[in-house]
Amino acid sequence: MIADWTRKHLLGLEELSAREIGIILDAADDMAKLDPNATSTELKGRTVANLFFEPSTRTRNSFGLAARRLGAATLDFTSSGSSVSKGEAFIDTAKNIEAMGVDVMVVRHTSPGSPHLLAKHLRASVINAGDGPHEHPTQGLLDIFTIRRHKGRVEGLTVGLIGDILHSRVARSNIHGLIKLGAKVIVCGPSTLVPRELKLWGVEVAYDFDDILPHCDVINLLRIQFERQRTGLFPSIREYAFLFGMTGERMRRARPDLLILAPGPINRGVEVTPEVADGIHSAILEQVANGLAIRMALLKLLCGV
Ligand code: CP
C-alpha cells in the first residue's frame, strides 16, 4: 500500500526491500492507466528540479514530463552552459538550485555516490538518475515494470543481462531489483566486461551468449559504455556484434515468447540489429513510456501524496 511508503529519497535499488519495490510498481500501474492528456493537480505547489551533469534524453525529459503531468513546477539544470564552467562546486550548485524552493532534486552525475552526498546535505528529496557506473534505480524499476506487464510476474523468470556489465549502472540496479523479486539473473558478455565476482551477488556469470540464450525469458541488451572505458576491453565492435549482438538469427534460436529490452540509447548493429530492435518481441519504446509511469509514481510517493 502507498500508505506504507516511508522513504524520503530514492538512491538505489540495493537499499529497497521487495515490498518497497512492489509499492512503486503498483503505484506505477495506476499512473499508466491515467489519460496522458489530463493534467493532475496532485503536486501543485511543489517544484521538481533536474540536476544533470551528464547527457540524457530519456531520463531528464521523462522526469520533467512526469512532474508537469502531476501539476508540479519544474526546473531544468544541465551543467553545460552553467556556472560549473566558472568553478562552482557540485554541492554549491545543488544548494543554490535548492534555494529556489525545490522539493525534489533529480540528480545525474559521473561520480558514484553523488546523490547520497546531496541526500545528506539538502532538505529536498533526492532521486538518483544515474551515478557513474553505480546505480540507475528508475531505469531498473521501469525495466522490471515492463517485464511484469508483459509476463504477469517476475518471480521464477530467467533474465539475461548482455553486454558491458562492468560499467553499467543499469545492470546493477536490474540485478538488485530482479533478485529481490525472485528472478534468476544471468550476466553475459566479454570476460573483460563481466566481473566474475558478481557470482557473490547470487547472479550466474556466463561468457557465451549462444549457451544461455535458449534459457532466457527476457534479454536486456546493455550498451557498450565507450565513455567509461579507458582502454580497449575487447578486440573490435565487429567481433562484439558477432558474439553478443541480438540478431534475427539468434531470435530464431530463442524462446518463442522472448522479451527484448534495452535501456537506450541503442547502438543499432552493435548490441542489437534493427530487425530485432523494431521487431514484435521488442519493448524498447514501451520501456520509455513505462518510465513516465514509474517516475510519476515515485514523485507522488516521495512527496507523500
Ligand atoms: N536509459 C537512459 O538513462 O537514457 P538517457 O541517458 O537518455 O537518460
Side-chain angles (χ1 to χ4, degrees), residues 52 54-61 108 129-130 136 138-139 142 169-170 223 262-265 288 295:
F52 276 58
E54 268 191 1
S56 169
T57 296
R58 283 145 288 270
T59 313
R60 186 158 67 88
N61 289 302
R108 172 174 286 189
H136 189 350
T138 58
Q139 181 69 46
L142 75 89
R169 54 197 178 203
V170 176
R223 187 175 62 86
V288 179
R295 289 168 181 132

